[in-house]
Amino acid sequence: MFDQFNRAILRLLQRDGSLTQREIAEKVNLSANACWNRVQALKRDGIILGQTTRLDRGKLGLGLVVFVMVRTRHHSIDWLKEFRRHVSSIPEVIDFYRIGGDYDYLLKVVAADMAGYDAVYRRLISGVELDSVTSYFAMEAIEEQRPFPID
């Protein structure tokens, strides 16, 4: 049951996960009980995966964002498991994708500065054999952590 009410609830929660059930219900014109039931169903169905708090990177001293493109010659299941384990152990890697095209993986890394990124880079290349690592440094975050388009 993915109707206008569920879509409205999801749009609201993406923008502000701290809204109370009552506030959500009022904004989508449902009773608090009906709203609560819908939110619980969305959680049960795995559409709502949890609630988090967005943080200001800059105020936390994480002003550098780097997009890291990785190419490898290895494509075995064992290598992939080890690579995933290795990359996932680096807390500065906040997004990690396997991609198609000229590169095999895309990582989004946050660090305080270039020295911080260099430490991440050294850790990344020391754990597993990689063919190439290319880094792109973000100059400005124009839009970051945008909500999903729910129509």
Side-chain angles (χ1 to χ4, degrees), residues 87 92-97 106-109:
V87 172
E92 294 87 353
V93 176
I94 62 168
D95 289 314
F96 178 24
Y97 299 94
L106 168 67
L107 289 61
K108 181 178 179 183
V109 175

Side-chain angles (χ1 to χ4, degrees), residues 103-114:
Y103 292 92
D104 299 304
Y105 300 94
L106 168 67
L107 289 61
K108 181 178 179 183
V109 175
V110 295
D113 53 24
M114 191 61 71

Side-chain angles (χ1 to χ4, degrees), residues 13-151:
L13 287 174
Q14 280 191 102
R15 286 178 173 74
D16 187 355
S18 69
L19 291 172
T20 66
Q21 292 295 321
R22 176 175 290 204
E23 291 170 324
I24 297 167
E26 288 174 4
K27 291 177 186 287
V28 300
N29 295 318
L30 285 172
S31 71
N33 191 45
C35 183
W36 184 86
N37 287 332
R38 285 173 177 271
V39 170
Q40 295 310 307
L42 290 165
K43 288 179 180 180
R44 190 174 47 253
D45 293 343
I47 295 168
I48 296 176
L49 301 176
Q51 291 180 257
T52 61
T53 300
R54 292 180 56 202
L55 305 175
D56 185 315
R57 281 187 298 100
K59 291 180 181 175
L60 293 171
L62 299 171
L64 183 63
V65 176
V66 184
F67 296 94
V68 180
M69 309 297 289
V70 175
R71 186 178 293 130
T72 181
R73 290 186 205 125
H74 304 282
H75 297 282
S76 72
I77 296 298
D78 290 339
W79 184 90
L80 177 58
K81 285 179 184 176
E82 179 59 24
F83 182 62
R84 285 181 177 184
R85 185 204 59 74
H86 176 63
V87 172
S88 296
S89 75
I90 303 171
E92 294 87 353
V93 176
I94 62 168
D95 289 314
F96 178 24
Y97 299 94
R98 185 168 59 92
I99 60 174
D102 291 337
Y103 292 92
D104 299 304
Y105 300 94
L106 168 67
L107 289 61
K108 181 178 179 183
V109 175
V110 295
D113 53 24
M114 191 61 71
Y117 172 67
D118 187 49
V120 171
Y121 172 81
R122 290 172 187 267
R123 185 169 174 194
L124 175 66
I125 64 170
S126 71
V128 291
E129 183 183 345
L130 303 173
D131 187 40
S132 69
V133 177
T134 302
S135 302
Y136 297 94
F137 302 93
M139 296 170 44
E140 175 186 13
I142 296 168
E143 292 279 353
E144 194 170 40
Q145 297 180 342
R146 293 179 66 191
F148 293 135
I150 300 173
D151 296 327

